[in-house]
Amino acid sequence: MLLALVAFLVLAPLPAHADEFPFRDPDLPRATRIADLLGRLTVDEKVSLLHQYQPAIPRLGIGAFKTGTEALHGVAWLGESTVFPQALGLANTWNPELVERIGAVTGREARGFHARNPAFNGLNLWAPVVNLLRDPRWGRNEEGYSEDPYLTGRISTAFGQGVQGDHPDYLQAAPTLKHYVAYNVENRRTTVDSIVPPRILKDYDEAAFKPAISANAATGVMASYNLVNGRPTHVGPELDDVVRSWTDEDLLIVGDAGGASNLTGSQRYYATRAEGNAAAVRAGLDSFTENDQNSALTTTAIKTAISQGLLSVAEVEEAARHVLSIRFRLGEFDPPGRNPYAAITPDVIDSPEHRQLARQAAAEQVVLLRNDNNTLPLSTADTKKVAVVGQLADTLYEDWYSGTMPYRITPVKGLAERAEVTSSEGVDRIRLKNLATGNYVTASASESGAALTATEATPTGASGLDVFDWGEDTITLRAASNGKTVSLGDGRSLVNNAVQPNGWFVQQQFKLVAQADGSYVLEYAGNEITQSWFGPNRYVVVGADGRLTVGAETPEAATKFGREVVRSGVDSAVAAAKGADAAVVVVGSMPFINGREDDDRNTTVLPAGQRAVIDAVRKANPRTIVVLESSYPYSGDWDTADLPAILWTTHAGQETGHAIADVLFGDHNPSGKLTQTWYRSDADLPDMLQYDISKSGHTYQYFRGKPLYPFGYGLSYTSFRYSKLRLDRTVVDASGQVKVRVDVTNTGDRAGAEVVQLFSRQKQSRVPQPVRQLRAFERVELRPGETRTVELTVRAADLSFWDVTREKRVVETAPHDLVVGGLTRAITVRGETIPPRDLRKPTQAQNFDDYSGVTLVDTTKERGTAVGATAAGQWIAFKDVNLGRSARSLSARVANADAPTTVEVRLGGPTGRLVGTLAVPTTADKYSWTSVSTPLRNATGRQDVYLVFTGKARIDNLTVGGSS
């Protein structure tokens, strides 16, 4: 009844004469139409537009509107749709044209779903994710494109353009970039404070968001869950001040689910919802994603804020204007027939051409990591029988933001169309025996499953449990009786009822823990065990009725089981592989278990059980090909094994099996390239909370070790030769550009695609520069023997960086190397030389040149970033300061909620000559700022000035006086 009512309100006829209102006239300027509509709305109606679920306004003939349809790699959560490879896989193609086509299909299918249910299937799409893949342990690695901002910008722009369509006036759908900004950690994500110095924030994190917005290929941005430099992003002034400065179009800035509530919840940043919501609106947030369809808490808080003078009606109208602008561009208020996208019907969903595009994308995103002695491609002439083994051999997994696959071509199914297939998942089938009673655990054969019991003295087929190893001692158990995975059910009983691991808390995770006496206990490992409400009990006990429940706090109180192996997974895989012309081992991750939203990984090592299958099959069949299927890079020593060929694919959607077969048998020549570094070891990864990549060594830009596989890597079945790298000039000024030409020749006997990548390296600079940085790329198709001249352009402006000394972008005068395909040419850029620092004018402390130990903090709740010291000995440095002939004093704006302390002014280093000491008094709180100063002694000339903290304190800015 509710859905019928909402649908009626959405599709209700216009009230009498409503079609004559100026806002209904498509020939008027959009700004005029929005102003007319806003002028007809009451304050309550304007406020109602600021929630995710915007109600209908029948008196004006306005329907309901919902922001937020998930569409990361196809439309999600609305029913069966075309499921493309994960976003990471889309970027592996390095093919913006293909990604744009995928974006167009996604927007088209969103329109199809919208036609089914306009009230709930909204056209404001929450995709793409452009957060940089700074650390592969991030649980949401699968959602992003790359660790590189330039590549991310190219791919996100293409996807957004496809989603929007190519009509000059109307949007097919409205893409929203996620999640602004510096968001890469899931564990305690709402309280994680991303500390990002200005240059990294400008040159790295913001650089991923700017391209799509500047190209008008995105209509909005979502704020992230974390804090940045002490302030929650939902109230960060950068939403208005920075993000909106990149375009002249209106942007719809939305909150993440519950993000605004965190301001008064976990973040404790504001005391009341009215204060928090008002601050968010003032900062630039337009739409609150709170409490699902219940908008009352949000709208009541906003109206309270207005009544308390925290927020003006004009500020509400400004937010509503941004919301309405998108609705107008979607054609909602125009007469029938004007908007061509409105004619799209549900028939487009999962159409044959969309399926074909999904297959092409799944093949293009495959990366060939290894191919010794041309093991691949396989030939149908000498490969009649193929063993397809491994945990992922005959299944496809959806991730949290995946659409629902209308069909599933698994690797087994795909390869069975090419050859005779033998198959094994390579997992142990075991029985668990209650050692106290001698009874075996059995599972129901019912399709819907039932509670597991241990009441049978004699084992049967219903006693079999298949053990899937996902690493870090985490397993899932699948009942042989009905093929369903064991889950935590009602009353915390164990029930065999899940098709696959799923859900927010993923209640299918267990650990089978060996005890000193040779027995085992079963530990529940679902995500919710960390929640306070879950309680202390994690271990399985068998009750008097024989049911298995999670009911013990310690292993000692748990039921002890004997573990009997019915069938060895390794032996089964080996048996399948023996005698086969080739063995394909498909291993990898489970997207709901090995990290995802709200769950980071602790390791990127391949699970030991899966590695054991690889090693055993390799010994049994010398022609073993490993297919890694995962949402993130793997580290470890598995690559050192004697493996002839290795492919990597992301979880690539409904056509995965066809794509793998297409690549293995050479119908598709692999051309995918890695978009992030594959490290050799977890030990190569810096602290996950360190966002200053220039300090931490994160990503290919600053990593100085030897990776397992580098950024941009990927093999082909043919070979390419680069020659004649030439430049149209070797000297370029700051406003100029260099045209780079290189000849690329296909020297093999197969047609193939090569991604020509151009990197730069600045060889001299005032600041630490990346080891190398991607500046341009082009994907080219070449026939055997064909040579093509590829032209790439590098603008000198693209070589700029954020100069903290003057708070602006700068093109520095310096030599650069341009590198393409192993060939290098040098250029000289004539920009400017950054002058010595002038501290005579107030200088923000956050604009230091170097630091140790300090953090960045919020100057006030509304705006500003300051430096905070948390312990003695921490310091900040300002390099190459011109102190003149006589710098007589240094003043600073400080705050200090702790005991009185000092800040030492030293020259040359943190233990250098002491020239002054700032006495920092205790202030009322951390936001109470006061000015202090110290005389300087013998501070002259060009010096590196260090401020060394002897205790906790904050510095907002500083000024040197008396210098000349």
Side-chain angles (χ1 to χ4, degrees), residues 674-940:
L674 300 181
T675 69
Q676 61 185 137
T677 303
W678 286 44
Y679 296 92
R680 288 192 170 275
S681 166
D682 287 340
D684 287 335
L685 290 166
D687 182 350
M688 197 169 178
L689 296 176
Q690 175 59 272
Y691 275 80
D692 183 352
I693 62 172
S694 69
K695 277 272 194 182
S696 69
H698 271 103
T699 84
Y700 82 95
Q701 290 191 18
Y702 292 98
F703 182 61
R704 296 185 178 276
K706 184 178 180 182
L708 186 64
Y709 295 114
F711 172 86
Y713 174 85
L715 301 176
S716 169
Y717 293 155
T718 190
S719 55
F720 300 96
R721 183 181 67 241
Y722 288 75
S723 62
K724 298 181 181 177
L725 178 62
R726 55 226 187 252
L727 315 178
D728 71 339
R729 68 198 63 202
T730 57
V731 178
V732 60
D733 62 30
S735 61
Q737 62 183 26
V738 179
K739 289 190 181 299
V740 181
R741 294 179 177 87
V742 65
D743 289 352
V744 183
T745 303
N746 182 343
T747 57
D749 58 4
R750 289 177 176 270
E754 172 70 336
V755 179
V756 181
Q757 305 166 36
L758 187 156
F759 294 88
S760 75
R761 180 171 70 93
Q762 184 168 337
K763 298 166 70 174
Q764 295 175 7
S765 180
R766 186 186 184 280
V767 303
Q769 291 287 347
V771 175
R772 61 184 185 132
Q773 191 165 355
L774 182 69
R775 298 300 184 183
F777 68 87
E778 184 174 338
R779 188 177 184 275
V780 293
E781 303 266 358
L782 297 173
R783 299 184 303 275
E786 180 182 4
T787 297
R788 186 177 302 176
T789 297
V790 177
E791 181 176 289
L792 302 168
T793 301
V794 179
R795 299 185 313 140
D798 295 335
L799 305 177
S800 67
F801 60 88
W802 187 253
D803 174 22
V804 296
T805 72
R806 294 169 296 171
E807 295 186 293
K808 69 172 189 176
R809 302 206 69 79
V810 61
V811 177
E812 205 174 20
T813 296
H816 293 250
D817 281 339
L818 300 181
V819 182
V820 183
L823 305 175
T824 303
R825 293 290 182 271
I827 63 170
T828 298
V829 177
R830 289 179 175 169
E832 59 179 305
T833 299
I834 299 174
R837 294 195 76 137
D838 182 1
L839 299 185
R840 290 173 299 178
K841 55 187 177 183
T843 299
Q844 289 189 54
Q846 66 161 332
N847 286 326
F848 47 67
D849 290 299
D850 198 4
Y851 65 100
S852 176
V854 299
T855 189
L856 294 172
V857 297
D858 50 339
T859 306
T860 69
K861 288 182 181 291
E862 290 74 28
R863 61 179 55 247
T865 300
V867 171
T870 58
Q874 297 175 353
W875 51 264
I876 55 176
F878 301 86
K879 300 294 185 68
D880 191 25
V881 177
N882 184 2
L883 294 175
R885 288 176 294 177
S886 178
R888 292 192 291 271
S889 66
L890 186 145
S891 302
R893 188 167 180 252
V894 299
N896 176 24
D898 291 281
T901 186
T902 60
V903 177
E904 298 174 340
V905 184
R906 294 181 177 271
L907 301 184
T911 59
R913 181 164 58 89
L914 181 66
V915 296
T917 302
L918 288 167
V920 180
T922 300
T923 57
D925 56 43
K926 62 183 181 180
Y927 298 124
S928 296
W929 296 92
T930 188
S931 294
V932 297
S933 63
T934 178
L936 297 179
R937 300 176 297 279
N938 300 320
T940 62

Side-chain angles (χ1 to χ4, degrees), residues 140-154:
R140 303 182 78 165
N141 196 84
E142 66 207 33
E143 297 182 37
Y145 290 133
S146 173
E147 67 185 12
D148 180 76
Y150 174 75
L151 178 57
T152 295
R154 287 280 303 274

Side-chain angles (χ1 to χ4, degrees), residues 196-350:
V196 196
R199 188 167 68 87
I200 301 302
L201 186 64
K202 295 290 184 183
D203 292 348
Y204 189 66
D205 293 284
E206 286 183 4
F209 285 82
K210 185 177 180 179
I213 294 174
S214 297
N216 290 326
T219 61
V221 165
M222 175 185 284
S224 55
Y225 280 122
N226 55 301
L227 299 86
V228 173
N229 298 338
R231 182 180 297 106
T233 63
H234 278 64
V235 292
E238 296 80 13
L239 296 175
D240 240 353
D241 298 349
V242 176
V243 176
R244 286 200 162 100
S245 72
W246 295 333
T247 178
D248 293 329
E249 277 285 4
D250 279 315
L251 292 177
L252 170 57
I253 297 181
V254 304
D256 207 338
S261 293
N262 294 330
L263 294 168
T264 55
S266 59
Q267 293 165 346
R268 299 181 181 178
Y269 203 71
Y270 286 102
T272 68
R273 189 181 290 268
E275 291 176 280
N277 284 12
V281 172
R282 291 197 307 272
L285 196 76
D286 307 312
S287 179
F288 290 78
T289 311
E290 302 289 324
N291 308 107
D292 297 321
Q293 298 178 47
N294 178 14
S295 63
L297 290 174
T298 294
T299 56
T300 298
I302 292 173
K303 285 184 281 188
T304 300
I306 294 172
S307 68
Q308 294 177 349
L310 301 172
L311 193 63
S312 69
V313 173
E315 288 168 323
V316 170
E317 288 178 346
E318 180 68 6
R321 182 174 67 81
H322 297 142
V323 175
L324 289 172
S325 181
I326 302 303
R327 294 179 65 169
F328 272 97
R329 294 179 69 192
L330 288 166
E332 178 183 345
F333 305 111
D334 288 5
R338 288 291 293 248
N339 176 9
Y341 299 122
I344 295 174
T345 69
D347 294 340
V348 302
I349 299 170
D350 190 42

Side-chain angles (χ1 to χ4, degrees), residues 457-475:
T458 303
T460 66
S463 303
L465 295 169
D466 297 330
V467 183
F468 290 77
D469 177 13
W470 301 113
E472 299 184 74
D473 299 321
T474 299
I475 62 171

Side-chain angles (χ1 to χ4, degrees), residues 26 46 104 191 207 216 245 353 380 404 408 415 433 455 491 508 563 568 623 667 783 814 842 882 948 955:
K46 292 170 185 175
T191 55
N216 290 326
S245 72
E353 57 268 33
T380 54
T404 302
R408 297 168 187 252
L415 286 162
K433 180 179 182 180
T455 58
Q508 295 78 34
R563 180 183 183 275
S568 163
R623 203 176 181 199
D667 291 352
R783 299 184 303 275
N882 184 2
V948 183
I955 294 183

